[in-house]
Amino acid sequence: MSNQHQLCLNSGAKEGVCLTAIRYLKGDATDPQEAAAKPKIIVHVCNDLGKWGRGFVLALSKRWPAPERSYREAYASNSPPALGSVQFVPVETFVEVANLIGQRGIARRGQKTPPIRYDAVRTGLAAVAHRAMETGSSVHMPRIGCGLAGGRWDRIEPLIADTLLAAGVPVTVYDF
């Protein structure tokens, strides 16, 4: 079942400019609903601590070991990825996973500020848009940043519009 919403920008473009819609589907973001021979990027949000083990990453690890391995290796190095950076990890011939570092730490009991960092998500999505334009990829994701990172979709969706949609990149968001 597909549901499309057309987004109109209020910042970063002329007021009221409408872009290609995000396509919303019920399904699994690790199984992009796109032609098999077309390049696809699966985006998800990671923390900046090197911690991998809860949320959407479990589905990724079950399907492909490479994104987790790359993430853990990067955080074991002397120069771990910074907020806003993205690791692009090839997992199949036409599929790569984007580990977007978009949350500061992890949620803790009693913590008032959620770990999501919207500026970092915007920076990372801009890098994904650039990569998607270079490779002719479509972008697929769950509702990034809205699970364990504590973000709000009404703040994430405009970031997608300002980066990916503004670049003409097709985006599909999956609700499991």
Side-chain angles (χ1 to χ4, degrees):
M1 175 182 284
S2 176
N3 183 11
Q4 290 191 334
H5 296 162
Q6 189 167 17
L7 293 178
C8 297
L9 293 181
N10 293 319
S11 64
K14 197 178 347 172
E15 187 77 26
V17 172
C18 294
L19 305 171
T20 305
I22 295 174
R23 181 171 68 145
Y24 289 88
L25 294 178
K26 293 234 183 267
D28 181 357
T30 68
D31 184 22
Q33 301 302 300
E34 187 78 32
K38 289 193 174 187
K40 295 164 274 300
I41 300 171
I42 298 171
V43 179
H44 71 110
V45 169
C46 301
N47 64 65
D48 66 346
L49 296 177
K51 304 237 182 252
W52 182 290
R54 292 182 58 209
F56 182 70
V57 299
L58 295 177
L60 283 173
S61 291
K62 185 176 180 180
R63 188 163 178 129
W64 306 290
E68 177 180 0
R69 185 173 48 247
S70 292
Y71 175 79
R72 289 188 185 277
E73 286 172 0
Y75 278 93
S77 75
N78 289 335
S79 56
L83 277 168
S85 64
V86 181
Q87 293 179 306
F88 293 97
V89 184
V91 293
E92 290 181 11
T93 302
F94 289 103
V95 181
E96 64 184 339
V97 171
N99 293 337
L100 190 160
I101 313 303
Q103 74 179 67
R104 166 80 64 203
I106 56 175
R108 305 246 186 244
R109 191 179 305 256
Q111 181 177 327
K112 293 186 192 295
T113 304
I116 190 73
R117 295 297 179 261
Y118 295 107
D119 287 344
V121 172
R122 175 188 296 280
T123 300
L125 288 174
V128 171
H130 181 74
R131 176 69 156 234
M133 289 186 306
E134 282 182 340
T135 61
S137 296
S138 57
V139 170
H140 304 263
M141 64 182 75
R143 291 187 187 241
I144 59 169
C146 295
L148 298 170
R152 295 187 359 229
W153 190 248
D154 65 341
R155 298 220 21 217
I156 299 287
E157 192 177 46
L159 301 178
I160 293 167
D162 289 348
T163 56
L164 296 164
L165 297 180
V169 175
V171 177
T172 302
V173 173
Y174 297 81
D175 290 310
F176 193 66

